[in-house]
Amino acid sequence: MGDVRREIEAVWRIEGVRIVASLAKVTGDLGLAEDVAQEALVEALSAWPRDGVPITPGAWLTAVAKRRVIDAWRRRSALDDRYAGIARDLPESIDAEWEPIDDDVLRLVFTACHPALSRESQIALTLRVVAGLTTEEIARMLLATVPAVQARITRAKKTLAAAGIPFETPDPAEWKGRLGAVLSVVYMVFTEGYAATAGERWVRPDLADEAIRLGRVVAGLLPREPEALALVALMDFQRARFAARETAAGAPVLLGGQDRSRWDHGQIARASEALRRADAAATARGVGRGAYALQAAIAECHAVAPSLEETDWERIVVLYEVLGRVAPSPMVELNRAAAVSMAVGPAEALVIVDDLERSGALSGSHVIPSVRGELLARLGRQEEARSELRRAAELTANKVQRGVLRAKAAALGSAG
């Protein structure tokens, strides 16, 4: 049973969002699509240990979920053309080949990012239905409470249903109202793939690759939109380093210890070209670099540097300063502090981090004590550094991250 459960979890991780997107397209009801998909998973837990795992498990789950849709419509006495249409589409065999339409996931993103929803609800709903994150994971990403995130998602689904919002890619005239939210949630999905907030893996390549795919589709639809192009560049720069960010056993390898020959230099070259096109599009529009272009420029500094020591840290500090004016956030300021520590020294960086902590920003997150611990260790304040690293380890929900922080604390030795 345990092996089958793990296989079901793997199938859902890979195909879950496409299954929900396919069902949402058929039903026009995101809430119903999620419900019947979960019912299909429950049935798989019962049937697969008994009957064996199907040849095409995604097709099996989709077919069972579609039958649950019919049951739901029967219960609602809604035997209309939708019912007849879905019945005709059912495969004769549950193992029939299933090929989801490529744009279904993108339609799902655009539906979740409808302007009828608040930005907070757009982000929470998309992370839930597209990234498949739990409410606990989303709460950590958004620095919000779990009940608040649950309430946002519930309200968002009710709003979409009550407004009768169609499951479709909007007309080009509607793009402007949704593009910012779409790019934001695509990058948040990628970020969860780049550094998982919870679980037993340091990275989640499946999420990162899906975010890049969606980003490229959006950039293809809007080839003159600077920030869409810049987001693709940013994600490609970061994805290019994945092979060196983990050992074969899954242990994390931090930037300074990575074998840069294992970076995907072809992907780095494509990212640089995408950033050049983003810059050209911004120039043609008469605007400067936006937030994604500035982050991509920072990522390029890392990607082209021969080593950690030979990185252009002064330029990175300047880019973070500009980013802090364009899109101010506590994380931008924390990253600026890390860059200052390399360009100027840990004492100057510690002043920035201490000010940030006093402001109450990022409270409850492991990131501030983690950075403080690193800076204190470099300043020779071992006991304080050990305490901060241990505090950071207790705050993170990622098992691998916790192990890294505890190892760093242990490496500083015992109090003397």
Side-chain angles (χ1 to χ4, degrees), residues 87-395:
R88 284 194 301 271
D89 290 341
L90 278 175
E92 292 182 6
S93 166
I94 262 181
D95 281 332
E97 185 178 359
W98 174 59
E99 295 182 5
I101 299 172
D102 286 344
D103 285 344
D104 280 354
V105 177
L106 186 61
R107 292 190 187 97
L108 188 58
V109 173
F110 271 102
T111 300
C113 291
H114 195 279
L117 306 178
S118 69
R119 175 60 68 93
E120 293 80 6
S121 294
Q122 290 172 347
I123 291 172
L125 181 61
T126 309
L127 292 175
R128 181 71 189 93
V129 300
V130 177
L133 303 184
T134 65
T135 51
E136 290 81 4
E137 290 170 330
I138 297 169
R140 281 190 290 270
M141 288 184 72
L142 301 182
L143 303 178
T145 65
V146 171
V149 169
Q150 289 173 332
R152 288 177 194 173
I153 294 171
T154 300
R155 282 197 303 270
K157 289 179 181 178
K158 288 181 178 178
T159 299
L160 293 177
I165 292 169
F167 175 70
E168 62 185 14
T169 304
D171 292 331
E174 299 178 61
W175 273 77
K176 221 168 187 63
R178 304 194 202 184
L179 182 59
V182 169
L183 296 180
S184 177
V185 297
V186 166
Y187 189 48
M188 292 191 81
V189 172
F190 179 86
T191 300
E192 180 64 18
Y194 181 84
T197 56
E200 299 187 357
R201 286 209 62 181
W202 176 248
V203 298
R204 293 182 59 183
D206 56 327
L207 278 183
D209 289 340
E210 177 62 11
I212 291 174
R213 187 190 75 79
L214 291 172
R216 285 179 177 154
V217 172
V218 173
L221 291 170
L222 289 173
R224 294 184 181 86
E225 178 55 49
E227 284 291 81
L229 295 167
L231 177 57
V232 172
L234 172 58
M235 293 189 293
D236 272 338
F237 277 129
Q238 294 176 327
R239 181 64 174 90
R241 302 199 296 264
F242 271 32
R245 294 186 70 233
E246 282 186 315
T247 66
V253 181
L254 302 182
L255 184 62
Q258 289 174 17
D259 178 358
R260 297 185 180 219
S261 68
R262 297 188 64 205
W263 291 359
D264 187 336
H265 294 281
Q267 191 165 21
I268 290 171
R270 291 193 296 274
S272 292
E273 174 56 28
L275 182 56
R276 301 290 84 78
R277 287 189 282 116
D279 285 341
T283 299
R285 189 172 292 186
V287 298
R289 279 176 165 172
Y292 295 120
L294 288 165
Q295 290 176 81
I298 292 167
E300 185 176 40
C301 288
H302 290 296
V304 301
S307 67
L308 188 71
E309 295 72 24
E310 296 172 272
T311 302
D312 191 346
W313 291 106
E314 289 80 7
R315 175 170 171 74
I316 290 175
V317 170
V318 171
L319 288 167
Y320 270 124
E321 289 173 348
V322 178
L323 179 60
R325 291 192 289 271
V326 171
S329 80
M331 280 305 301
V332 170
E333 189 68 359
L334 190 64
N335 286 328
R336 182 175 75 87
V340 166
S341 77
M342 298 299 294
V344 183
E348 292 80 357
L350 187 60
V351 172
I352 300 171
V353 175
D354 286 346
D355 286 344
L356 194 57
E357 184 167 41
R358 278 192 292 271
S359 75
L362 301 173
S363 61
S365 171
H366 74 282
V367 291
I368 283 185
S370 175
V371 173
R372 284 197 87 246
E374 296 280 356
L375 296 174
L376 290 165
R378 288 175 58 189
L379 289 168
R381 295 160 62 176
Q382 304 287 71
E383 184 59 31
E384 294 172 86
R386 187 164 43 253
S387 175
E388 286 293 272
L389 291 169
R390 287 171 176 166
R391 180 162 72 101
E394 293 306 311
L395 288 171

Side-chain angles (χ1 to χ4, degrees), residues 1-5 8 42-53:
M1 177 66 179
D3 290 342
V4 173
R5 178 180 288 273
I8 291 172
V42 171
E43 184 160 337
L45 285 170
S46 171
W48 292 10
R50 180 187 68 242
D51 303 331
V53 176

